[in-house]
Amino acid sequence: MRFALLIAAMTAVSALLVNGTSSVILSSVRWEELKEYHDCYALATGRAVRERGADTDIRIPTELDMGDCEDPRADASPLVTAGASAALLLTLLAAYVGLPRRRIGRRGYGPLTDMPELSAYLAGLLGESGVRARVGFLAEPLNPTVHALAFGRLGRRRVVLSGGLLTLYSLDRRAFRSIVLHELAHIRNRDLDIAFLTLILWRASVPTLVVMIAVAAPAALLLGSALAGSVLAFAVQVPLLAVLVTLLKNAVLRSRELYADARVTEWEGSADGLRRLFVEPPAQQGGKADRGLLRVHPPLARRARALTDRGVLYEVGFWDMCAVGAAGAFLHEMVRLGPIGGGSQAGPTAALAATVLSGSLVVGAAGTVLWQAVAHAPGSPTPARIRQAGLGLGLGLGVFRLLAPSGAFSLVSVGGQGASLALPYLALTSLCGWALVRWLVLVAGAWGPVLARSRRPRRVLWTVLASATAGVLPMVGFLFTLPTMTLYAAAFIAPSLPGAVVFVGSAAVLALARITTVVAPAVLTAAVVPLVGQYVSWRPGARHTFTGFGPPGPPPGFLVGFGVPVALASAVTALLVVWIGVPAPALMAMGVVIVGQVAAAFWAGGGHAPLPLARGALAAFGAGLLGMSAWGVLVRLVGCLVSGLDACTPFPGAASFRLALIVAPLGTLPAWAVQALTVRARRAPRWR
């Protein structure tokens, strides 16, 4: 699935690039008009931020007043961009249908004639493999090497056998059988379409990206405006994307070879036949060093190791996750700019679509890979590999977000101030990438038994990943918009402070301002998704076994799990604190409730039941939400008793409920951190 998601992302990006170019070229838009529009946009941006920076109620604007700036592409016909996308898709479809026939004619492949015994043997292998597709066998008699290749489109598959392989049929029937079964395994695993789409997209995108580099670099020198910065950033981003696409293409092809070998081992019931083929010839031993990431076939030693160690099939690498993060960031930038590549049509709808698509790509691709690793090779996602994968995901997303043309445009428009924000932003994205990967591994472990018992595991997988994506989408959108907002703060609000200080302060202020829409959904999703999986995976009436030392004791009850007892105790304590007349009663009540959230996390996460941190986070969130709400009700009830029933308003209003929504995630974060440090210290070995 990760390959299909990445291919879909690259296809969408290619279509949007074509749309943006066609809206300028085919709509008779002059580059001078486009340059004037971007200069006007830069001036309007600086003026709007300065006005808000001088105000006492400092905030980062989300919508800028464009003033008299007129976008020359606003009147571009939708038929132009739609026609460009349709032409791109038709070109890919024509290549998918026509290239197999062209390969047969160009390479001189021919049918197997005058070989009835071989044809019958191949038909028997086809029946043993269980491949339902229509497969035709071709011969390449002039090729003396031992080689076989499966190709073709849907409904018409082909397997070509070289002259050396036809000779091997008479000399070593077992080796011949293993090689042919390997190609049939590619067909059974649906590798042909994945590999073909990967190759055709790579061949179509890389030359296009090279042309864009050649055009964008000199164009950046001639434009001489803020638009030049975005064009130059695009010229830097594109080659990096081309490299990642190449590495991703090679990784796709290498992994499909390993999966085909695993399928053959399953059919044969033994790996002896393939193991004989993976003995490296003496002439190649000690030769050139392995090209590693540039290979399209895995090394023979790795293929031999994968026959006995299934963990090799599901290894999660740094570069794979880096490509996922980079594709997500690039897709977000292209979709956010809208169908004409920015300007007046880059509105809230385009930004929402960009967040949904990029977030779905990142969570879906990373989650699928990690889920397979946990399900099929338990223990393979080691802490070291999780750190590498998370670092790759975060750096890929962060680097490509910083190299986005819109980011470079904003940086140039403010005179280059705030460039030092890049390092803290990359540190933040790396931390978030590691947290996401670590959490997805936890979710996969909690939901693994459910998938193993389900008759439709894919539906369960998609449902869980969709729920996880919905919960983290606000945080994904926040990370993507953070560089631009903090850049304006560093340039206009606090230009004298160090960039790291401005970034941390601005990020904290923005997160606090969006705590109910960004932080709260992320906290609830992080706690609820694995807990629901753990609950569903336990069969009704099954005896629960808990890991750990010491007496397990009864697990916390339902009310304790949601922090209800602590919430009521915190509300009463906060009421007493306010009753004695302390200054700033609302802040003191919040402090009491937050302390109660820490206690609720330890109470619910105690014992030896699994997922202690998730249980603690859910209890802390419930204690904060219910505690502040109960405190508001108690304060109003006391007011009713003091002032009389005529002025009684026992139920708090919307402002009190919003305060409870703010306190709940605000107190959950420190409660979870304290509990995590305690659990880690408790699990650390105390002997040597």
PDB file of all heavy atoms in Angstrom, residues 4-20 81 84-85 88-89 92 201 205 241 327 330-336 338-339 353-354 357-358 361:
ATOM      1  N   ALA A   4       1.653   2.228  -3.511  1.00  0.00           N
ATOM      2  CA  ALA A   4       0.511   2.807  -4.204  1.00  0.00           C
ATOM      3  C   ALA A   4       0.231   4.225  -3.723  1.00  0.00           C
ATOM      4  O   ALA A   4      -0.087   5.117  -4.517  1.00  0.00           O
ATOM      5  CB  ALA A   4      -0.719   1.919  -4.010  1.00  0.00           C
ATOM      6  N   LEU A   5       0.364   4.471  -2.412  1.00  0.00           N
ATOM      7  CA  LEU A   5       0.145   5.812  -1.889  1.00  0.00           C
ATOM      8  C   LEU A   5       1.179   6.795  -2.430  1.00  0.00           C
ATOM      9  O   LEU A   5       0.850   7.923  -2.828  1.00  0.00           O
ATOM     10  CB  LEU A   5       0.189   5.774  -0.363  1.00  0.00           C
ATOM     11  CG  LEU A   5      -1.017   5.141   0.327  1.00  0.00           C
ATOM     12  CD1 LEU A   5      -0.743   4.972   1.805  1.00  0.00           C
ATOM     13  CD2 LEU A   5      -2.263   5.969   0.115  1.00  0.00           C
ATOM     14  N   LEU A   6       2.443   6.362  -2.480  1.00  0.00           N
ATOM     15  CA  LEU A   6       3.482   7.249  -2.976  1.00  0.00           C
ATOM     16  C   LEU A   6       3.326   7.515  -4.466  1.00  0.00           C
ATOM     17  O   LEU A   6       3.536   8.630  -4.938  1.00  0.00           O
ATOM     18  CB  LEU A   6       4.856   6.655  -2.674  1.00  0.00           C
ATOM     19  CG  LEU A   6       5.253   6.697  -1.193  1.00  0.00           C
ATOM     20  CD1 LEU A   6       6.497   5.872  -0.949  1.00  0.00           C
ATOM     21  CD2 LEU A   6       5.482   8.120  -0.746  1.00  0.00           C
ATOM     22  N   ILE A   7       2.955   6.480  -5.215  1.00  0.00           N
ATOM     23  CA  ILE A   7       2.731   6.673  -6.642  1.00  0.00           C
ATOM     24  C   ILE A   7       1.564   7.627  -6.869  1.00  0.00           C
ATOM     25  O   ILE A   7       1.611   8.507  -7.741  1.00  0.00           O
ATOM     26  CB  ILE A   7       2.486   5.314  -7.320  1.00  0.00           C
ATOM     27  CG1 ILE A   7       3.786   4.493  -7.324  1.00  0.00           C
ATOM     28  CG2 ILE A   7       1.974   5.488  -8.738  1.00  0.00           C
ATOM     29  CD1 ILE A   7       3.610   3.079  -7.804  1.00  0.00           C
ATOM     30  N   ALA A   8       0.488   7.449  -6.083  1.00  0.00           N
ATOM     31  CA  ALA A   8      -0.646   8.368  -6.208  1.00  0.00           C
ATOM     32  C   ALA A   8      -0.238   9.795  -5.874  1.00  0.00           C
ATOM     33  O   ALA A   8      -0.664  10.751  -6.532  1.00  0.00           O
ATOM     34  CB  ALA A   8      -1.782   7.905  -5.295  1.00  0.00           C
ATOM     35  N   ALA A   9       0.609   9.954  -4.855  1.00  0.00           N
ATOM     36  CA  ALA A   9       1.065  11.296  -4.493  1.00  0.00           C
ATOM     37  C   ALA A   9       1.874  11.929  -5.616  1.00  0.00           C
ATOM     38  O   ALA A   9       1.675  13.098  -5.964  1.00  0.00           O
ATOM     39  CB  ALA A   9       1.906  11.231  -3.219  1.00  0.00           C
ATOM     40  N   MET A  10       2.793  11.153  -6.198  1.00  0.00           N
ATOM     41  CA  MET A  10       3.610  11.705  -7.278  1.00  0.00           C
ATOM     42  C   MET A  10       2.770  12.009  -8.509  1.00  0.00           C
ATOM     43  O   MET A  10       3.023  12.971  -9.229  1.00  0.00           O
ATOM     44  CB  MET A  10       4.734  10.726  -7.632  1.00  0.00           C
ATOM     45  CG  MET A  10       5.773  10.554  -6.536  1.00  0.00           C
ATOM     46  SD  MET A  10       6.502  12.128  -6.033  1.00  0.00           S
ATOM     47  CE  MET A  10       7.177  12.686  -7.593  1.00  0.00           C
ATOM     48  N   THR A  11       1.751  11.181  -8.775  1.00  0.00           N
ATOM     49  CA  THR A  11       0.867  11.463  -9.903  1.00  0.00           C
ATOM     50  C   THR A  11       0.103  12.770  -9.686  1.00  0.00           C
ATOM     51  O   THR A  11      -0.030  13.594 -10.593  1.00  0.00           O
ATOM     52  CB  THR A  11      -0.118  10.301 -10.096  1.00  0.00           C
ATOM     53  OG1 THR A  11       0.627   9.089 -10.272  1.00  0.00           O
ATOM     54  CG2 THR A  11      -0.995  10.529 -11.309  1.00  0.00           C
ATOM     55  N   ALA A  12      -0.397  12.962  -8.461  1.00  0.00           N
ATOM     56  CA  ALA A  12      -1.109  14.204  -8.154  1.00  0.00           C
ATOM     57  C   ALA A  12      -0.193  15.413  -8.268  1.00  0.00           C
ATOM     58  O   ALA A  12      -0.574  16.466  -8.798  1.00  0.00           O
ATOM     59  CB  ALA A  12      -1.718  14.121  -6.755  1.00  0.00           C
ATOM     60  N   VAL A  13       1.048  15.258  -7.774  1.00  0.00           N
ATOM     61  CA  VAL A  13       2.003  16.364  -7.865  1.00  0.00           C
ATOM     62  C   VAL A  13       2.308  16.685  -9.317  1.00  0.00           C
ATOM     63  O   VAL A  13       2.366  17.860  -9.718  1.00  0.00           O
ATOM     64  CB  VAL A  13       3.288  16.009  -7.093  1.00  0.00           C
ATOM     65  CG1 VAL A  13       4.401  16.988  -7.421  1.00  0.00           C
ATOM     66  CG2 VAL A  13       3.016  16.021  -5.602  1.00  0.00           C
ATOM     67  N   SER A  14       2.493  15.655 -10.155  1.00  0.00           N
ATOM     68  CA  SER A  14       2.777  15.885 -11.571  1.00  0.00           C
ATOM     69  C   SER A  14       1.618  16.604 -12.242  1.00  0.00           C
ATOM     70  O   SER A  14       1.815  17.525 -13.038  1.00  0.00           O
ATOM     71  CB  SER A  14       3.053  14.546 -12.265  1.00  0.00           C
ATOM     72  OG  SER A  14       4.151  13.888 -11.668  1.00  0.00           O
ATOM     73  N   ALA A  15       0.381  16.180 -11.906  1.00  0.00           N
ATOM     74  CA  ALA A  15      -0.783  16.846 -12.487  1.00  0.00           C
ATOM     75  C   ALA A  15      -0.868  18.305 -12.069  1.00  0.00           C
ATOM     76  O   ALA A  15      -1.163  19.194 -12.895  1.00  0.00           O
ATOM     77  CB  ALA A  15      -2.056  16.103 -12.081  1.00  0.00           C
ATOM     78  N   LEU A  16      -0.573  18.598 -10.800  1.00  0.00           N
ATOM     79  CA  LEU A  16      -0.635  19.986 -10.334  1.00  0.00           C
ATOM     80  C   LEU A  16       0.464  20.836 -10.954  1.00  0.00           C
ATOM     81  O   LEU A  16       0.260  22.015 -11.255  1.00  0.00           O
ATOM     82  CB  LEU A  16      -0.537  20.015  -8.814  1.00  0.00           C
ATOM     83  CG  LEU A  16      -1.773  19.469  -8.085  1.00  0.00           C
ATOM     84  CD1 LEU A  16      -1.477  19.273  -6.611  1.00  0.00           C
ATOM     85  CD2 LEU A  16      -2.956  20.389  -8.273  1.00  0.00           C
ATOM     86  N   LEU A  17       1.647  20.243 -11.156  1.00  0.00           N
ATOM     87  CA  LEU A  17       2.709  20.986 -11.831  1.00  0.00           C
ATOM     88  C   LEU A  17       2.314  21.317 -13.260  1.00  0.00           C
ATOM     89  O   LEU A  17       2.546  22.423 -13.755  1.00  0.00           O
ATOM     90  CB  LEU A  17       4.004  20.172 -11.816  1.00  0.00           C
ATOM     91  CG  LEU A  17       4.729  20.077 -10.470  1.00  0.00           C
ATOM     92  CD1 LEU A  17       5.911  19.123 -10.581  1.00  0.00           C
ATOM     93  CD2 LEU A  17       5.199  21.441 -10.014  1.00  0.00           C
ATOM     94  N   VAL A  18       1.713  20.340 -13.934  1.00  0.00           N
ATOM     95  CA  VAL A  18       1.250  20.592 -15.300  1.00  0.00           C
ATOM     96  C   VAL A  18       0.176  21.664 -15.306  1.00  0.00           C
ATOM     97  O   VAL A  18       0.143  22.550 -16.167  1.00  0.00           O
ATOM     98  CB  VAL A  18       0.740  19.281 -15.931  1.00  0.00           C
ATOM     99  CG1 VAL A  18       0.061  19.554 -17.270  1.00  0.00           C
ATOM    100  CG2 VAL A  18       1.896  18.319 -16.133  1.00  0.00           C
ATOM    101  N   ASN A  19      -0.728  21.609 -14.319  1.00  0.00           N
ATOM    102  CA  ASN A  19      -1.791  22.616 -14.254  1.00  0.00           C
ATOM    103  C   ASN A  19      -1.222  24.014 -14.043  1.00  0.00           C
ATOM    104  O   ASN A  19      -1.640  24.984 -14.679  1.00  0.00           O
ATOM    105  CB  ASN A  19      -2.751  22.281 -13.120  1.00  0.00           C
ATOM    106  CG  ASN A  19      -3.639  21.103 -13.459  1.00  0.00           C
ATOM    107  OD1 ASN A  19      -3.686  20.671 -14.604  1.00  0.00           O
ATOM    108  ND2 ASN A  19      -4.314  20.568 -12.462  1.00  0.00           N
ATOM    109  N   GLY A  20      -0.284  24.138 -13.101  1.00  0.00           N
ATOM    110  CA  GLY A  20       0.290  25.447 -12.823  1.00  0.00           C
ATOM    111  C   GLY A  20       1.009  26.026 -14.019  1.00  0.00           C
ATOM    112  O   GLY A  20       0.931  27.228 -14.299  1.00  0.00           O
ATOM    113  N   THR A  81      -6.651  23.782 -17.229  1.00  0.00           N
ATOM    114  CA  THR A  81      -6.016  22.917 -16.228  1.00  0.00           C
ATOM    115  C   THR A  81      -6.612  21.515 -16.242  1.00  0.00           C
ATOM    116  O   THR A  81      -5.902  20.525 -16.073  1.00  0.00           O
ATOM    117  CB  THR A  81      -6.171  23.538 -14.841  1.00  0.00           C
ATOM    118  OG1 THR A  81      -7.563  23.773 -14.587  1.00  0.00           O
ATOM    119  CG2 THR A  81      -5.439  24.864 -14.763  1.00  0.00           C
ATOM    120  N   ALA A  84      -5.134  19.690 -19.127  1.00  0.00           N
ATOM    121  CA  ALA A  84      -3.748  19.293 -18.881  1.00  0.00           C
ATOM    122  C   ALA A  84      -3.674  18.039 -18.019  1.00  0.00           C
ATOM    123  O   ALA A  84      -2.887  17.121 -18.283  1.00  0.00           O
ATOM    124  CB  ALA A  84      -2.990  20.438 -18.215  1.00  0.00           C
ATOM    125  N   SER A  85      -4.509  17.970 -16.987  1.00  0.00           N
ATOM    126  CA  SER A  85      -4.534  16.773 -16.140  1.00  0.00           C
ATOM    127  C   SER A  85      -5.006  15.556 -16.916  1.00  0.00           C
ATOM    128  O   SER A  85      -4.449  14.452 -16.788  1.00  0.00           O
ATOM    129  CB  SER A  85      -5.440  17.000 -14.928  1.00  0.00           C
ATOM    130  OG  SER A  85      -4.940  18.030 -14.110  1.00  0.00           O
ATOM    131  N   LEU A  88      -2.267  14.279 -19.138  1.00  0.00           N
ATOM    132  CA  LEU A  88      -1.244  13.545 -18.392  1.00  0.00           C
ATOM    133  C   LEU A  88      -1.703  12.130 -18.070  1.00  0.00           C
ATOM    134  O   LEU A  88      -0.956  11.157 -18.252  1.00  0.00           O
ATOM    135  CB  LEU A  88      -0.915  14.294 -17.109  1.00  0.00           C
ATOM    136  CG  LEU A  88       0.087  13.615 -16.166  1.00  0.00           C
ATOM    137  CD1 LEU A  88       1.434  13.461 -16.827  1.00  0.00           C
ATOM    138  CD2 LEU A  88       0.223  14.395 -14.868  1.00  0.00           C
ATOM    139  N   LEU A  89      -2.944  11.979 -17.590  1.00  0.00           N
ATOM    140  CA  LEU A  89      -3.453  10.655 -17.256  1.00  0.00           C
ATOM    141  C   LEU A  89      -3.589   9.780 -18.500  1.00  0.00           C
ATOM    142  O   LEU A  89      -3.298   8.575 -18.459  1.00  0.00           O
ATOM    143  CB  LEU A  89      -4.803  10.785 -16.547  1.00  0.00           C
ATOM    144  CG  LEU A  89      -4.772  11.480 -15.186  1.00  0.00           C
ATOM    145  CD1 LEU A  89      -6.178  11.595 -14.609  1.00  0.00           C
ATOM    146  CD2 LEU A  89      -3.875  10.722 -14.218  1.00  0.00           C
ATOM    147  N   LEU A  92      -0.142   8.440 -19.411  1.00  0.00           N
ATOM    148  CA  LEU A  92       0.249   7.308 -18.566  1.00  0.00           C
ATOM    149  C   LEU A  92      -0.516   6.039 -18.949  1.00  0.00           C
ATOM    150  O   LEU A  92       0.058   4.940 -18.972  1.00  0.00           O
ATOM    151  CB  LEU A  92       0.000   7.648 -17.099  1.00  0.00           C
ATOM    152  CG  LEU A  92       0.864   8.762 -16.499  1.00  0.00           C
ATOM    153  CD1 LEU A  92       0.438   9.052 -15.071  1.00  0.00           C
ATOM    154  CD2 LEU A  92       2.340   8.388 -16.537  1.00  0.00           C
ATOM    155  N   LEU A 201       6.443   6.266 -13.996  1.00  0.00           N
ATOM    156  CA  LEU A 201       6.366   7.560 -13.328  1.00  0.00           C
ATOM    157  C   LEU A 201       7.760   8.144 -13.137  1.00  0.00           C
ATOM    158  O   LEU A 201       7.969   9.349 -13.277  1.00  0.00           O
ATOM    159  CB  LEU A 201       5.653   7.401 -11.986  1.00  0.00           C
ATOM    160  CG  LEU A 201       5.359   8.700 -11.229  1.00  0.00           C
ATOM    161  CD1 LEU A 201       4.431   9.577 -12.055  1.00  0.00           C
ATOM    162  CD2 LEU A 201       4.727   8.404  -9.885  1.00  0.00           C
ATOM    163  N   SER A 205       8.800  11.592 -14.716  1.00  0.00           N
ATOM    164  CA  SER A 205       8.981  12.723 -13.809  1.00  0.00           C
ATOM    165  C   SER A 205      10.411  13.231 -13.776  1.00  0.00           C
ATOM    166  O   SER A 205      10.636  14.445 -13.733  1.00  0.00           O
ATOM    167  CB  SER A 205       8.537  12.335 -12.394  1.00  0.00           C
ATOM    168  OG  SER A 205       9.318  11.253 -11.909  1.00  0.00           O
ATOM    169  N   LEU A 241      13.937  16.094  -4.847  1.00  0.00           N
ATOM    170  CA  LEU A 241      12.799  15.220  -5.090  1.00  0.00           C
ATOM    171  C   LEU A 241      13.145  14.162  -6.127  1.00  0.00           C
ATOM    172  O   LEU A 241      12.747  12.999  -6.001  1.00  0.00           O
ATOM    173  CB  LEU A 241      11.594  16.040  -5.544  1.00  0.00           C
ATOM    174  CG  LEU A 241      10.306  15.258  -5.801  1.00  0.00           C
ATOM    175  CD1 LEU A 241       9.792  14.659  -4.507  1.00  0.00           C
ATOM    176  CD2 LEU A 241       9.256  16.142  -6.439  1.00  0.00           C
ATOM    177  N   ALA A 327       7.556  13.270   0.238  1.00  0.00           N
ATOM    178  CA  ALA A 327       6.397  13.244  -0.658  1.00  0.00           C
ATOM    179  C   ALA A 327       5.196  13.937  -0.020  1.00  0.00           C
ATOM    180  O   ALA A 327       4.450  14.658  -0.690  1.00  0.00           O
ATOM    181  CB  ALA A 327       6.049  11.800  -1.010  1.00  0.00           C
ATOM    182  N   PHE A 330       5.896  17.758  -0.147  1.00  0.00           N
ATOM    183  CA  PHE A 330       5.795  18.270  -1.515  1.00  0.00           C
ATOM    184  C   PHE A 330       4.348  18.275  -1.991  1.00  0.00           C
ATOM    185  O   PHE A 330       3.888  19.223  -2.639  1.00  0.00           O
ATOM    186  CB  PHE A 330       6.659  17.415  -2.437  1.00  0.00           C
ATOM    187  CG  PHE A 330       6.952  18.053  -3.760  1.00  0.00           C
ATOM    188  CD1 PHE A 330       7.905  19.046  -3.863  1.00  0.00           C
ATOM    189  CD2 PHE A 330       6.272  17.672  -4.902  1.00  0.00           C
ATOM    190  CE1 PHE A 330       8.184  19.651  -5.080  1.00  0.00           C
ATOM    191  CE2 PHE A 330       6.541  18.267  -6.117  1.00  0.00           C
ATOM    192  CZ  PHE A 330       7.500  19.262  -6.215  1.00  0.00           C
ATOM    193  N   LEU A 331       3.603  17.218  -1.657  1.00  0.00           N
ATOM    194  CA  LEU A 331       2.192  17.168  -2.025  1.00  0.00           C
ATOM    195  C   LEU A 331       1.409  18.283  -1.344  1.00  0.00           C
ATOM    196  O   LEU A 331       0.547  18.922  -1.962  1.00  0.00           O
ATOM    197  CB  LEU A 331       1.615  15.800  -1.651  1.00  0.00           C
ATOM    198  CG  LEU A 331       0.132  15.588  -1.926  1.00  0.00           C
ATOM    199  CD1 LEU A 331      -0.139  15.651  -3.422  1.00  0.00           C
ATOM    200  CD2 LEU A 331      -0.337  14.260  -1.362  1.00  0.00           C
ATOM    201  N   HIS A 332       1.706  18.544  -0.074  1.00  0.00           N
ATOM    202  CA  HIS A 332       1.013  19.620   0.641  1.00  0.00           C
ATOM    203  C   HIS A 332       1.260  20.966  -0.029  1.00  0.00           C
ATOM    204  O   HIS A 332       0.333  21.759  -0.202  1.00  0.00           O
ATOM    205  CB  HIS A 332       1.492  19.658   2.094  1.00  0.00           C
ATOM    206  CG  HIS A 332       0.848  20.735   2.911  1.00  0.00           C
ATOM    207  ND1 HIS A 332       1.337  22.031   2.964  1.00  0.00           N
ATOM    208  CD2 HIS A 332      -0.255  20.710   3.709  1.00  0.00           C
ATOM    209  CE1 HIS A 332       0.573  22.750   3.741  1.00  0.00           C
ATOM    210  NE2 HIS A 332      -0.392  21.987   4.211  1.00  0.00           N
ATOM    211  N   GLU A 333       2.483  21.224  -0.412  1.00  0.00           N
ATOM    212  CA  GLU A 333       2.800  22.508  -1.034  1.00  0.00           C
ATOM    213  C   GLU A 333       2.094  22.671  -2.374  1.00  0.00           C
ATOM    214  O   GLU A 333       1.520  23.725  -2.669  1.00  0.00           O
ATOM    215  CB  GLU A 333       4.311  22.621  -1.221  1.00  0.00           C
ATOM    216  CG  GLU A 333       4.770  23.900  -1.912  1.00  0.00           C
ATOM    217  CD  GLU A 333       4.554  25.138  -1.066  1.00  0.00           C
ATOM    218  OE1 GLU A 333       4.228  24.996   0.127  1.00  0.00           O
ATOM    219  OE2 GLU A 333       4.705  26.251  -1.614  1.00  0.00           O
ATOM    220  N   MET A 334       2.113  21.623  -3.194  1.00  0.00           N
ATOM    221  CA  MET A 334       1.506  21.730  -4.515  1.00  0.00           C
ATOM    222  C   MET A 334      -0.011  21.884  -4.429  1.00  0.00           C
ATOM    223  O   MET A 334      -0.604  22.692  -5.138  1.00  0.00           O
ATOM    224  CB  MET A 334       1.866  20.499  -5.346  1.00  0.00           C
ATOM    225  CG  MET A 334       3.337  20.382  -5.726  1.00  0.00           C
ATOM    226  SD  MET A 334       3.927  21.725  -6.799  1.00  0.00           S
ATOM    227  CE  MET A 334       4.825  22.741  -5.611  1.00  0.00           C
ATOM    228  N   VAL A 335      -0.650  21.103  -3.565  1.00  0.00           N
ATOM    229  CA  VAL A 335      -2.111  21.185  -3.452  1.00  0.00           C
ATOM    230  C   VAL A 335      -2.526  22.495  -2.791  1.00  0.00           C
ATOM    231  O   VAL A 335      -3.531  23.100  -3.178  1.00  0.00           O
ATOM    232  CB  VAL A 335      -2.647  19.974  -2.660  1.00  0.00           C
ATOM    233  CG1 VAL A 335      -4.149  20.080  -2.457  1.00  0.00           C
ATOM    234  CG2 VAL A 335      -2.312  18.675  -3.385  1.00  0.00           C
ATOM    235  N   ARG A 336      -1.760  22.966  -1.814  1.00  0.00           N
ATOM    236  CA  ARG A 336      -2.112  24.206  -1.127  1.00  0.00           C
ATOM    237  C   ARG A 336      -2.068  25.404  -2.065  1.00  0.00           C
ATOM    238  O   ARG A 336      -2.825  26.370  -1.889  1.00  0.00           O
ATOM    239  CB  ARG A 336      -1.158  24.435   0.041  1.00  0.00           C
ATOM    240  CG  ARG A 336      -1.561  25.562   0.973  1.00  0.00           C
ATOM    241  CD  ARG A 336      -0.456  25.859   1.957  1.00  0.00           C
ATOM    242  NE  ARG A 336       0.730  26.351   1.276  1.00  0.00           N
ATOM    243  CZ  ARG A 336       0.893  27.619   0.869  1.00  0.00           C
ATOM    244  NH1 ARG A 336      -0.071  28.502   1.077  1.00  0.00           N
ATOM    245  NH2 ARG A 336       1.998  27.991   0.272  1.00  0.00           N
ATOM    246  N   GLY A 338      -3.121  25.482  -4.979  1.00  0.00           N
ATOM    247  CA  GLY A 338      -4.322  25.516  -5.797  1.00  0.00           C
ATOM    248  C   GLY A 338      -4.072  25.100  -7.226  1.00  0.00           C
ATOM    249  O   GLY A 338      -2.950  24.783  -7.641  1.00  0.00           O
ATOM    250  N   PRO A 339      -5.117  25.100  -8.035  1.00  0.00           N
ATOM    251  CA  PRO A 339      -5.009  24.569  -9.399  1.00  0.00           C
ATOM    252  C   PRO A 339      -4.155  25.408 -10.342  1.00  0.00           C
ATOM    253  O   PRO A 339      -3.754  24.913 -11.391  1.00  0.00           O
ATOM    254  CB  PRO A 339      -6.469  24.526  -9.870  1.00  0.00           C
ATOM    255  CG  PRO A 339      -7.169  25.554  -9.036  1.00  0.00           C
ATOM    256  CD  PRO A 339      -6.487  25.524  -7.709  1.00  0.00           C
ATOM    257  N   ALA A 353      -7.635  20.792   1.741  1.00  0.00           N
ATOM    258  CA  ALA A 353      -7.375  19.623   0.899  1.00  0.00           C
ATOM    259  C   ALA A 353      -5.914  19.193   0.982  1.00  0.00           C
ATOM    260  O   ALA A 353      -5.604  17.995   1.009  1.00  0.00           O
ATOM    261  CB  ALA A 353      -7.758  19.930  -0.548  1.00  0.00           C
ATOM    262  N   ALA A 354      -5.000  20.163   1.040  1.00  0.00           N
ATOM    263  CA  ALA A 354      -3.581  19.838   1.148  1.00  0.00           C
ATOM    264  C   ALA A 354      -3.269  19.118   2.452  1.00  0.00           C
ATOM    265  O   ALA A 354      -2.511  18.136   2.473  1.00  0.00           O
ATOM    266  CB  ALA A 354      -2.748  21.115   1.033  1.00  0.00           C
ATOM    267  N   LEU A 357      -4.804  15.446   2.301  1.00  0.00           N
ATOM    268  CA  LEU A 357      -4.082  14.536   1.405  1.00  0.00           C
ATOM    269  C   LEU A 357      -2.691  14.211   1.932  1.00  0.00           C
ATOM    270  O   LEU A 357      -2.275  13.046   1.936  1.00  0.00           O
ATOM    271  CB  LEU A 357      -3.998  15.152   0.008  1.00  0.00           C
ATOM    272  CG  LEU A 357      -5.327  15.262  -0.757  1.00  0.00           C
ATOM    273  CD1 LEU A 357      -5.111  15.971  -2.085  1.00  0.00           C
ATOM    274  CD2 LEU A 357      -5.919  13.882  -0.992  1.00  0.00           C
ATOM    275  N   SER A 358      -1.962  15.234   2.364  1.00  0.00           N
ATOM    276  CA  SER A 358      -0.601  14.984   2.843  1.00  0.00           C
ATOM    277  C   SER A 358      -0.611  14.193   4.147  1.00  0.00           C
ATOM    278  O   SER A 358       0.199  13.276   4.337  1.00  0.00           O
ATOM    279  CB  SER A 358       0.138  16.306   3.034  1.00  0.00           C
ATOM    280  OG  SER A 358      -0.548  17.147   3.954  1.00  0.00           O
ATOM    281  N   LEU A 361      -1.418  10.605   3.382  1.00  0.00           N
ATOM    282  CA  LEU A 361      -0.272   9.941   2.768  1.00  0.00           C
ATOM    283  C   LEU A 361       0.756   9.535   3.816  1.00  0.00           C
ATOM    284  O   LEU A 361       1.221   8.389   3.839  1.00  0.00           O
ATOM    285  CB  LEU A 361       0.367  10.866   1.732  1.00  0.00           C
ATOM    286  CG  LEU A 361       1.712  10.408   1.163  1.00  0.00           C
ATOM    287  CD1 LEU A 361       1.537   9.154   0.335  1.00  0.00           C
ATOM    288  CD2 LEU A 361       2.357  11.509   0.346  1.00  0.00           C
TER     289      LEU A 361
END
